[in-house]
Amino acid sequence: NAGVTQTPKFRILKIGQSMTLQCTQDMNHNYMYWYRQDPGMGLKLIYYSVGAGITDKGEVPNGYNVSRSTTEDFPLRLELAAPSQTSVYFCASSWKTGNEKLFFGSGTQLSVL
Amino acid sequence: KNQVEQSPQSLIILEGKNCTLQCNYTVSPFSNLRWYKQDTGRGPVSLTIMTFSENTKSNGRYTATLDADTKQSSLHITASQLSDSASYICVVSVTGGGADGLTFGKGTHLIIQP
């Protein structure tokens, strides 16, 4: 089982550029999440999805967009990259909420210069 | 505001020694508390999940305790190994919080020296 797969692992963007962070899971999980992890800080939720076609904002959604056309895929779109978006991004999935554990991808390290 | 505080920020111990990491939370209403291990350059991996009624949960050499009255948890690592070097993250979930109901601590960075 691959679990949660994220691409790319590293990326450098110039201010104002756009990009999509890819995330796919092969565990047939309903719930998928995007988090960002800044140095010395706890993970912050950007967006989440409770199933195909359903997405909702998390704590820090500004500057990002998501879509969920299939159960497996949950891409994160940065439209106009800003230096404040320099961070490590993690995609995660779970079968449901409550006491279910999250399965995380290995992360995408993004620098905006 | 829901908060999760972890201590210490960082810790260095010798291989083979035991250590205890602390987590205090002010999340309400409490649903469960999780400990994750995050190796450098990797995503977090679940170690334990404890609900209100559970005081202790073990996963190999990792033992988590929970005191819901004082809103404190600890993660005890026994006979540490070099592979235990990682960040350990405490996460607390609120009842009815749904997919956005998790509050993450900043983590404790643990270094095991040979």
Side-chain angles (χ1 to χ4, degrees):
Chain A
N1 270 350
V4 179
T5 302
Q6 290 183 238
T7 57
K9 293 188 82 66
F10 304 94
R11 186 72 185 268
I12 298 175
L13 284 181
K14 294 182 179 178
I15 295 172
Q17 286 186 319
S18 301
M19 77 162 295
T20 299
L21 281 66
Q22 302 291 345
C23 175
T24 187
Q25 53 93 9
D26 63 358
M27 297 173 282
N28 203 31
H29 285 167
N30 292 322
Y31 290 78
M32 295 189 73
Y33 316 80
W34 275 105
Y35 290 92
R36 60 178 286 171
Q37 186 177 40
D38 298 320
M41 301 297 292
L43 274 76
K44 301 291 185 185
L45 182 64
I46 304 171
Y47 270 95
Y48 65 96
S49 169
V50 302
I54 306 170
T55 63
D56 211 342
K57 296 178 180 178
E59 184 180 358
V60 290
N62 291 344
Y64 308 95
N65 277 302
V66 293
S67 59
R68 183 98 181 268
S69 57
T70 67
T71 299
E72 294 78 20
D73 300 309
F74 190 41
L76 177 71
R77 179 84 177 161
L78 283 71
E79 290 294 347
L80 291 170
S84 61
Q85 293 177 306
T86 294
S87 189
V88 181
Y89 292 84
F90 288 100
C91 179
S93 72
S94 65
W95 178 242
K96 56 182 180 179
T97 57
N99 296 339
E100 293 289 325
K101 62 182 177 183
L102 299 180
F103 292 83
F104 284 86
S106 57
T108 295
Q109 187 166 335
L110 175 67
S111 294
V112 182
L113 305 175
Chain B
K1 182 181 176 184
N2 292 329
Q3 287 190 309
V4 175
E5 301 289 341
Q6 293 188 243
S7 61
Q9 267 190 311
S10 60
L11 181 63
I12 302 174
I13 64 170
L14 292 176
E15 185 180 11
K17 299 296 186 182
N18 303 335
C19 67
T20 300
L21 313 181
Q22 300 290 342
C23 174
N24 296 337
Y25 61 93
T26 57
V27 173
S28 181
F30 175 84
S31 175
N32 60 71
L33 185 144
R34 308 144 184 244
W35 283 95
Y36 283 82
K37 178 187 179 190
Q38 185 176 20
D39 292 321
T40 300
R42 308 290 294 176
V45 174
S46 179
L47 292 175
T48 63
I49 298 177
M50 289 184 293
T51 60
F52 184 90
S53 59
E54 296 174 297
N55 300 116
T56 302
K57 199 162 227 182
S58 292
N59 179 355
R61 294 178 297 101
Y62 301 99
T63 299
T65 63
L66 173 65
D67 186 334
D69 291 331
T70 62
K71 300 187 177 181
Q72 295 180 325
S73 176
S74 64
L75 181 68
H76 186 74
I77 304 175
T78 303
S80 61
Q81 300 177 358
L82 296 178
S83 59
D84 292 330
S85 292
S87 286
Y88 292 84
I89 302 172
C90 177
V91 187
V92 182
S93 173
V94 296
T95 301
D100 59 347
L102 299 180
T103 302
F104 288 76
K106 297 178 181 179
T108 292
H109 186 51
L110 176 64
I111 298 173
I112 311 297
Q113 287 187 337

